[in-house]
Amino acid sequence: KHEYSYFTRYLFGSQGAAGSLYYLFGQHVDDRGRVARLGLFGLETIDQVTQRNDTITAPIAYTESVGHSSANFSTPRLGAMIGERNDHEDVSLVVAFDEYHGAAYGAPAPPSDLAQSFTRPEIFGTATFQLDPHLKIGALGLNGERTFTSRTTGSIFDDIYYRDGLQAEWSSDRFDVTAQQLWGRDQNSDGFGTPAGFSGGFFNLKYRPTRHSYLALRYDAAANPFATRDLTMYGVFAPTIHSRFVLEQVRPLGRPGTNSVTSAQVLFALPFEKR
């Protein structure tokens, strides 16, 4: 059996940001779980919030970058992916040639003096293995090189970067526990040959009181180089098979003067299909 499908997401503009195409890809899956994907898509991280919408806010470690580079785990990439998913393993390899450049949610960031582009294709790989019916363990890696060009002086420099991580997931009938630790390093973070790095990760505990709802608590941490920590509490309820309601509160930890942020989101899946 062979299956062809597509996925697309268009973000309408808000807070002064223009609308933009966030996802647009087609894929082929065969009867052995082998996947081929082409287009603009998200990286296959263990907690992929921008496509499956588990929460409103992505983990800090996914949005963190180093120096002037915008390379992170939450921005969709333009390229190709091959992989295999079955009861024993989830493996994928991505070759990307560009990335999403719009304002994903909310107001766009002011343009930087440094325009960046891919010097060579970026490579991303991840592998997660099912050790027993409840436990998965895996790793990921990202490697690329970007060229930075000053809009005012025309000066150019290159930066080679790495992103690596370890991940694990334990699940039962009612509970899911997901954890991930990430490390990043840029060889030339500022154009003067200065290396820089960051580390971060998260721990997520999820409880399902019913078949169509769950409550969760996620602890986030990242250092780049200063430490940032958040506690995210959220609940999700699916009133129909085509809709989902998400309520979330992000509470900063150890940052006096910062306030908690509470958000709500209603999602609809289109087009509607039969069960």
Side-chain angles (χ1 to χ4, degrees):
K1 180 181 178 180
H2 295 260
E3 179 181 288
Y4 295 88
S5 60
Y6 70 91
F7 184 89
T8 183
R9 176 184 290 179
Y10 185 88
L11 299 177
F12 293 100
S14 65
Q15 303 182 46
S20 56
L21 193 64
Y22 194 64
Y23 282 123
L24 178 61
F25 64 84
Q27 68 177 18
H28 167 257
V29 182
D30 68 12
D31 55 0
R32 295 181 56 185
R34 292 178 295 196
V35 183
R37 181 178 295 176
L38 183 67
L40 183 64
F41 52 85
L43 299 176
E44 292 293 316
T45 50
I46 198 169
D47 189 0
Q48 220 291 345
V49 294
T50 58
Q51 182 175 328
R52 291 193 288 267
N53 298 298
D54 189 37
T55 59
I56 301 173
T57 306
I60 301 173
Y62 282 6
T63 59
E64 200 71 43
S65 57
V66 182
H68 292 295
S69 175
S70 62
N72 59 37
F73 290 104
S74 63
T75 303
R77 302 304 204 270
L78 180 64
M81 184 271 279
I82 57 172
E84 183 170 350
R85 299 171 188 160
N86 53 49
D87 295 337
H88 307 289
E89 61 187 17
D90 187 343
V91 180
S92 67
L93 175 67
V94 174
V95 179
F97 303 93
D98 202 355
E99 63 188 353
Y100 173 78
H101 293 288
Y105 303 100
S112 169
D113 175 62
L114 293 172
Q116 57 185 289
S117 60
F118 283 33
T119 309
R120 55 178 169 82
E122 181 185 78
I123 306 297
F124 171 81
T126 182
T128 304
F129 302 97
Q130 189 88 42
L131 299 187
D132 65 39
H134 300 288
L135 180 63
K136 298 179 181 178
I137 292 180
L140 59 80
L142 178 72
N143 173 258
E145 183 177 1
R146 298 185 180 220
T147 297
F148 296 83
T149 305
S150 171
R151 292 185 171 94
T152 56
T153 66
S155 61
I156 298 175
F157 72 91
D158 293 337
D159 175 32
I160 298 174
Y161 55 92
Y162 306 90
R163 308 286 185 266
D164 303 296
L166 298 174
Q167 56 209 25
E169 182 178 287
W170 179 87
S171 60
S172 67
D173 292 338
R174 293 283 186 177
F175 290 93
D176 288 334
V177 178
T178 307
Q180 189 167 57
Q181 177 64 40
L182 301 169
W183 299 271
R185 180 176 175 83
D186 283 42
Q187 302 287 55
N188 184 11
S189 64
D190 56 5
F192 298 98
T194 305
F198 85 92
S199 63
F202 63 86
F203 179 88
N204 194 48
L205 173 64
K206 184 186 297 183
Y207 168 67
R208 290 182 292 274
T210 70
R211 292 182 58 188
H212 306 293
S213 66
Y214 55 84
L215 303 172
L217 185 69
R218 188 181 73 209
Y219 173 76
D220 288 319
N224 184 22
F226 303 105
T228 302
R229 298 178 178 88
D230 285 343
L231 187 64
T232 301
M233 297 168 284
Y234 60 98
V236 177
F237 171 64
T240 72
I241 62 172
H242 297 110
S243 63
R244 178 180 294 180
F245 174 73
V246 184
L247 181 64
E248 173 191 274
Q249 183 182 74
V250 180
R251 182 175 299 176
L253 301 177
R255 285 178 279 168
T258 57
N259 299 317
S260 299
V261 177
T262 302
S263 306
Q265 188 180 74
V266 180
L267 303 170
F268 297 94
L270 297 173
F272 291 163
E273 295 181 359
K274 296 180 180 181
R275 289 181 180 270

